[in-house]
Amino acid sequence: MKQLKIEFSLSEYNEKHTIYLGDSNFIKHHSKTFLKKYLSTYKKVLLDNVRIINNYNAQIYCLYRNFYFDLSEIEVQNISSLFDNFNKQFNWMFDNLGGCQNSIIFSKINHCIYTNIDILQILKSHSHTNKNYSLKNQSESLLKMISDFQETYERNKKSLDLNRDYTKQNLKLISNTLKKASNE
């Protein structure tokens, strides 16, 4: 099973361990076990969202193939190039070569989101010029879903604090011991 390689490091100052959370955000704590629990929850948040990105990409690919014969050669080349780019970036997230790759993983996740949006923009543009209402409705719907997903992803990534559950709706991922450890 593919896993994201996110690590924490020991800071030379104040003898605190540090996890880079993306967007210039860090979490520092003196307890290594506390950070291990936090990191496992944070990885779950990211992996759940990476799976969602992958599912959206599959839906977009199906949409693209359904309307493949309607697209111009240039549109097909552009979209194919974007799908290749998505696959390279997506696979790179799980590459375990090198050291701490926290910052790179976050940029690859964002890159995959924007690549999906770019593909949908091409399909939407084609639908407007050729008055293809089925493609227009489907591409606009997927654009809205990805836009909503992106907002939720950013909110989840930034709001995973020590006193709050990852999602209130379905899962309780941060155990009581994690909450107790945050008070230390």
Side-chain angles (χ1 to χ4, degrees), residues 55-130:
N55 285 332
Y56 281 136
N57 188 259
Q59 291 176 19
I60 294 167
Y61 189 76
C62 283
L63 181 64
Y64 160 67
R65 293 313 275 180
N66 285 332
F67 291 95
Y68 175 82
F69 294 107
D70 297 339
L71 300 171
S72 71
E73 194 62 37
I74 293 172
E75 291 168 329
V76 168
Q77 287 176 344
N78 289 339
I79 292 173
S80 294
S81 172
L82 287 168
F83 276 119
D84 289 342
N85 190 9
F86 176 90
N87 289 333
K88 287 177 189 172
Q89 302 300 322
F90 191 83
N91 291 335
W92 203 95
M93 281 187 262
F94 300 99
D95 188 2
N96 290 327
L97 300 175
C100 185
Q101 301 173 352
N102 298 6
S103 61
I104 297 171
I105 288 172
F106 297 114
S107 70
K108 299 300 178 187
I109 291 171
N110 287 330
H111 189 85
C112 287
I113 292 170
Y114 295 129
T115 301
N116 280 337
I117 291 171
D118 290 344
I119 294 168
L120 288 169
Q121 290 292 353
I122 292 172
L123 293 173
K124 181 181 170 187
S125 173
H126 172 82
S127 71
H128 282 291
T129 57
N130 294 304

Side-chain angles (χ1 to χ4, degrees), residues 134-150:
S134 175
L135 178 59
K136 176 187 173 284
N137 292 335
Q138 291 178 60
S139 60
E140 285 178 348
S141 153
L142 282 167
L143 276 168
K144 175 69 172 138
M145 289 167 46
I146 290 176
S147 175
D148 291 346
F149 159 75
Q150 185 178 15

